[in-house]
């Protein structure tokens, strides 16, 4: 299937590692031009070089913190200057910290809103003008299965990420006339540095931790960033033209609910 991604410009935020990196690589491999960001410049430039070397794609990599409004504005302005606009947005960021009710203070609640919700709002606001002008756009955000069912010990994620899904669904009819689609990606357990951080927190060897985590997953293993990116790349493509307003889990079956 030709995904129709050649010549499109994709902005993938928080993309030096993990799922963001895999999405940038997957889109570049399909012929898209890719704009990448992360806060740590050395990691970002190394990943951008790797994406260029493996795909031959044009890559613009700019250090940016998506919780800072000026960084978001500058990122999209530079992407627009270089490539004439953004066709595809994959809004990703680091997640809010773990914790239960008694563990988190007001500042952490505000931080969770800023990292998971406000960053997406600002990114969408910045990319909409060029998408509206072209009457074509794909807006995706990487959230979590916590959109569908609460994850134990992740109060902040469980509380704020469903709000992003509510916003995305609300925008679907508003922007449908401009041919812009809105979909939420809900990863379960995906093999990234963040997931392996769980092994360190639990004080367990990685292998043992991954075996334990896998027991709750119908497919009996964690997913790879590439398996996640395959779904993201399809939803970012021309071929997903009639899919909007969906919150889709990529989780090996972890979410047990019917919808
Ligand atoms: N892995 C899982 O199993 C899983 C499951 C459910 C949900 N999630 C969520 O999915 C998202 C991606 O997770 P991941 O596992 O791919 O993470 P990861 O491997 O730890 O990578 C995180 C990436 O985000 C960048 N980043 C973090 N905060 C940023 C910020 N404020 N501005 C710009 N870049 C930022 C990091 O680079 P810098 O640190 O240099 O900025 C890095 O490139 C997170 O929100 C995570 O909570 C993950």
């Amino acid at each position: 299937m030709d995904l129709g991604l050649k010549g499109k410009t994709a902005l993938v935020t928080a993309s030096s590692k993990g799922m963001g990196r895999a999405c940038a690589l997957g889109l570049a491999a399909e012929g898209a031009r890719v704009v990448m960001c992360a806060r740590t410049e050395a990691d970002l430039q190394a990943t951008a070089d790797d994406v260029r070397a493996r795909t031959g794609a044009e890559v613009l990599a700019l250090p940016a913190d998506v919780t800072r409004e000026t960084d978001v504005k500058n990122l999209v302005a530079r992407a627009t200057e270089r490539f004439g606009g953004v066709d595809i947005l994959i809004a990703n960021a680091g997640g809010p910290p773990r914790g239960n009710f008694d563990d988190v203070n007001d500042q952490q609640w505000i931080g969770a809103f800023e990292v998971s919700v406000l960053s997406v709002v600002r990114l969408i606001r910045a990319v909409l003008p060029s998408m509206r002008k072209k009457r074509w756009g794909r807006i995706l955000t990487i959230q979590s299965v916590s959109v569908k069912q609460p994850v134990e010990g992740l109060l902040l994620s469980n509380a704020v990420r469903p709000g992003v899904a509510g916003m995305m669904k609300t925008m679907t009819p508003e922007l449908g006339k401009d041919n812009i689609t809105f979909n939420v990606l809900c990863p379960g357990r995906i093999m990234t540095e963040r997931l392996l951080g769980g092994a360190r927190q639990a004080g367990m060897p990685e292998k043992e931790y991954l075996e334990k985590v896998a027991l709750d997953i119908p497919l009996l293993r964690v997913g790879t960033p590439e398996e996640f990116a395959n779904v993201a790349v399809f939803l970012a493509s021309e071929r997903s033209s009639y899919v909007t307003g969906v919150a889709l889990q990529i989780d090996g079956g972890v979410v047990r609910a019917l919808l």
Side-chain angles (χ1 to χ4, degrees):
M1 188 192 289
D2 175 7
L3 293 177
L5 281 163
K6 288 185 189 66
K8 298 287 188 202
T9 299
L11 167 58
V12 186
T13 60
S15 48
S16 65
K17 296 179 186 168
M19 288 179 269
R21 173 188 175 279
C23 289
L25 192 57
L27 288 162
E30 291 296 327
R33 297 178 291 216
V34 178
V35 183
M36 303 171 62
C37 84
R39 294 165 303 178
T40 314
E41 181 157 20
D43 291 346
L44 175 68
Q45 296 306 345
T47 303
D49 285 345
D50 184 45
V51 173
R52 286 184 194 103
R54 291 210 218 179
T55 66
E58 269 188 273
V59 178
L60 176 63
L62 300 167
D65 180 339
V66 294
T67 64
R68 294 168 59 150
E69 187 177 14
T70 46
D71 283 16
V72 169
K73 282 185 173 165
N74 179 52
L75 184 64
V76 176
R78 294 278 303 277
T80 304
E81 199 178 281
R82 171 91 173 262
F83 296 130
V86 171
D87 305 301
I88 296 156
L89 167 67
I90 300 188
N92 182 34
R98 297 184 71 81
N100 292 316
F101 192 80
D102 288 338
D103 308 324
V104 296
N105 59 32
D106 282 6
Q107 214 39 54
Q108 287 167 316
W109 275 103
I110 293 166
F113 173 77
E114 286 175 343
V115 74
S116 296
V117 185
L118 198 52
S119 67
V120 183
V121 172
R122 287 173 174 156
L123 282 161
I124 293 175
R125 191 183 285 139
V127 299
L128 274 185
S130 69
M131 290 184 180
R132 278 183 160 134
K133 206 185 293 174
K134 294 185 195 178
R135 298 205 68 255
W136 198 98
R138 298 280 180 269
I139 295 184
L140 298 166
T141 179
I142 302 179
Q143 296 296 326
S144 164
V145 285
S146 65
V147 165
K148 301 269 177 149
Q149 74 184 15
V151 181
E152 207 184 315
L154 293 185
L155 174 74
L156 294 173
S157 174
N158 299 339
V160 300
R161 291 191 193 275
V164 181
M167 173 185 72
M168 297 281 282
K169 191 77 174 171
T170 308
M171 294 188 73
T172 305
E174 198 178 324
L175 276 300
K177 64 180 180 312
D178 293 307
N179 193 30
I180 300 169
T181 64
F182 290 82
N183 294 298
V184 180
L185 299 161
C186 305
R189 303 289 201 145
I190 307 293
M191 178 67 105
T192 66
E193 279 186 25
R194 184 177 167 88
L195 182 76
L196 293 175
R200 285 190 292 280
Q201 270 178 352
M204 286 169 79
E206 283 176 8
K207 189 170 174 290
E208 201 180 306
Y209 178 76
L210 291 173
E211 281 168 5
K212 182 171 171 282
V213 162
L215 291 176
D216 287 337
I217 304 171
L219 290 182
L220 289 176
R221 60 179 179 82
V222 303
T224 66
E226 293 70 30
E227 287 176 307
F228 175 86
N230 289 340
V231 178
V233 168
F234 170 73
L235 286 175
S237 80
E238 179 59 43
R239 299 285 86 81
S240 70
S241 49
Y242 206 56
V243 183
T244 189
V246 163
L248 180 65
Q249 56 270 37
I250 302 103
D251 68 347
V254 158
V255 172
R256 301 294 205 272
L258 287 174
L259 295 172

